[in-house]
Amino acid sequence: MPTPHPPRPPYPPPGGDPGESDESLAAPLRGSPEGEVAAHSVALLMARHYQPVHEYAVICLASSAQVAAMVTGTAFHRTLNRLAFGESAVALRPALLVTVRDTIREWSGDDRISAVLPALQKPAGGRGLRAATSMTPENRTLAERAFQALPAALRCLLWHVEVEADPLSVPAGLLGMDTDIASAALEQARDTFREGCVHAHRELAPTQDCRFYNRLLDVPIRRGGALLPDVQQHLDECRYCRNAAEQLSHFEGPLGPLIAEAVLGWGARRYLDSRPGRASHGTRAGRRGGGRRGRHGLLSRLPVPARRVPGAPRSSRTLLSGVGAVSAGVLATVLIINVSSYDGGEADPAGSTGAAGGTGSASVTPPGTAGLPAAQGVTRLRNAGADLCLDIRDLPKEGSGTKLAECATVWTQQWTYEDDGLLRSVADPGLCLDSHKDAGVVVLGTCADEDAERSDDVRYDLTVQGELLPRWDEQLALAPADDAPDADIVVKVRDRSSDAQRWQPEPLPTAAGSLSIEEQDDPAARRVALTDGRTA
């Protein structure tokens, strides 16, 4: 029986020549699109790039249905047509991935197409992508501009080494370049990319003050020193410059998340996590070791990708560490918020990762650095729009739906938000909210370990505004289907403004159906409380 993910073939693909670059393979398409030589080129280009492009189509659609193969084929057809008309084949991989995303968005926006391809109608897939107003997250605009301004060869090197986590020999082969030359070019690419972000910050600056602080922001981050007090004060007041500082801080560590979010936006995080090179060898930072980035003081000692800007204060006003105080009844905790989140200000239900945008200065945390309570507690979650609480439909068991209900002390309205992002049902502590199991409808699912394949399906980041963002795609938010009692809880494209997407944790009054923390480990007590709560 074949495995669902066959082993990755050695590079170059079968029939390929290590000296045969993507550009040399594309050349016959321009002169002889119908001939045997052109067919040879098409086959080899598809052998090199088909699998990751198809995987991204599955991510964007939130479905592995046949339509993913249709989208992939269409993306190749459109991209190869552009090559035939003279477009460069250098940095072909990101161009194919963007074409996949844009194809799905186009098809899902056509009612006739989506009617015959139901996979396009998923809120976590085509329908959410259709609703997005921009594909570039707000706090990735500088990186996107800088990356696209790079020479194509440098884009190819950065994409394959940083995003795909390929060995350097892979992009060197795609470019027909000696690996020693490729290594030197890669260092140049990183430096040029960073300088492009600094230039874009100055060029797009909304005010004269932002332009004035351009180098005062750039140099300390580059050197790992402290920001001047007036620069830090400006960051407290200016979201544009906070976003710029956060993007620049990524250059003190792996660039994969920054580049993927800037280029793809939609589904960037899940695509990044799906790369075989990352799973088998760790991140690029792990492979580079300390390297030249190891000497950068404060920033180099912080977790990646969530890095504190040098000199940023450790108070509740910290914006680049993103600490925001949230009063949540018995949670009564501090949520650690970071502006390097993967939500793009719009929609990205397949894991983009996206990047922080949104209103105000608050944001959510990026993958791997959860904005989480420092202590656990039992709470119920009241929806700010409906003034009703999150409840379980029927008895708690795997697959049971969730709904809005009048707020009460019943056992099925009690939850714990844990330090690993799990939103666990106190009615059955083995079950957590699962936002990815039932095509956009939130149900109970088995709580998963952090290293499990579906770990992010049952984990959430809670923003200071009270949004619950599923980690498999933090441009979605949990919300009721409508504001009436018994309404299903679903995932919707994050809108950053409606009360329907805001949840207010609140303490539970002592009453029948409620247990103390100490009683939670007693199954008999849980059964009694559940029965009492349902009959109260």
Side-chain angles (χ1 to χ4, degrees), residues 165-213:
D166 288 330
L168 184 60
S169 59
V170 171
L174 296 175
L175 294 168
M177 182 183 291
D178 179 82
T179 53
D180 290 338
I181 296 175
S183 179
L186 179 61
E187 288 304 304
Q188 177 192 352
R190 292 186 182 116
D191 291 339
T192 306
F193 181 33
R194 190 188 195 286
E195 191 59 36
C197 289
V198 174
H199 179 76
H201 171 259
R202 183 173 61 250
E203 190 175 54
L204 301 177
T207 69
Q208 184 61 39
D209 281 350
C210 296
R211 284 186 287 274
F212 174 78
Y213 287 117

Side-chain angles (χ1 to χ4, degrees), residues 4-17:
H5 300 289
R8 193 179 190 186
Y11 184 82
D17 185 322

Side-chain angles (χ1 to χ4, degrees), residues 13 41-52 72-73 76 80 92:
S41 296
V42 170
L44 290 183
L45 288 172
M46 292 189 72
R48 290 178 172 184
H49 299 286
Y50 186 90
Q51 183 172 334
T72 306
F76 271 94
L80 295 178
L92 187 58

Side-chain angles (χ1 to χ4, degrees), residues 261-457:
E261 293 153 24
V263 174
L264 301 179
W266 190 277
R269 176 187 168 192
R270 288 181 69 82
Y271 181 76
L272 198 72
D273 292 344
S274 74
R275 299 303 79 219
R278 306 185 79 84
S280 58
H281 299 295
T283 64
R284 299 308 306 173
R287 276 182 295 229
R288 285 201 300 265
R292 65 190 183 92
R293 287 165 175 74
R295 68 175 186 262
H296 286 305
L298 291 173
L299 282 172
S300 66
R301 295 196 295 270
L302 293 174
V304 175
R307 296 185 179 273
R308 188 170 64 89
V309 168
R314 297 178 179 272
S315 70
S316 61
R317 288 178 55 80
T318 300
L319 294 169
L320 290 173
S321 304
V323 180
V326 177
S327 174
V330 294
L331 285 178
T333 61
V334 173
L335 301 181
I336 304 171
I337 308 300
N338 188 293
V339 295
S340 61
S341 68
Y342 288 74
D343 59 284
E346 308 301 339
D348 175 1
S352 161
T353 176
T359 57
S361 61
S363 170
V364 298
T365 58
T369 55
L372 300 167
Q376 295 182 20
V378 178
T379 185
R380 65 185 177 196
L381 294 167
R382 184 184 295 270
N383 184 265
D387 197 32
L388 299 168
C389 285
L390 176 63
D391 201 347
I392 299 169
R393 192 176 295 281
D394 303 320
L395 291 176
K397 61 182 180 181
E398 186 165 6
S400 291
T402 53
K403 63 177 183 177
L404 286 181
E406 292 291 338
C407 295
T409 57
V410 294
W411 199 229
T412 51
Q413 289 187 16
Q414 299 182 34
W415 308 91
T416 61
Y417 182 60
E418 302 184 353
D419 58 4
D420 56 1
L422 288 174
L423 197 55
R424 189 184 297 271
S425 170
V426 178
D428 186 337
L431 298 176
C432 292
L433 280 189
D434 190 323
S435 57
H436 204 188
K437 186 175 183 177
D438 193 15
V441 178
V442 179
V443 299
L444 290 182
T446 303
C447 301
D449 294 335
E450 285 190 272
D451 58 353
E453 182 179 353
R454 55 179 299 275
S455 168
D456 286 350
D457 296 354

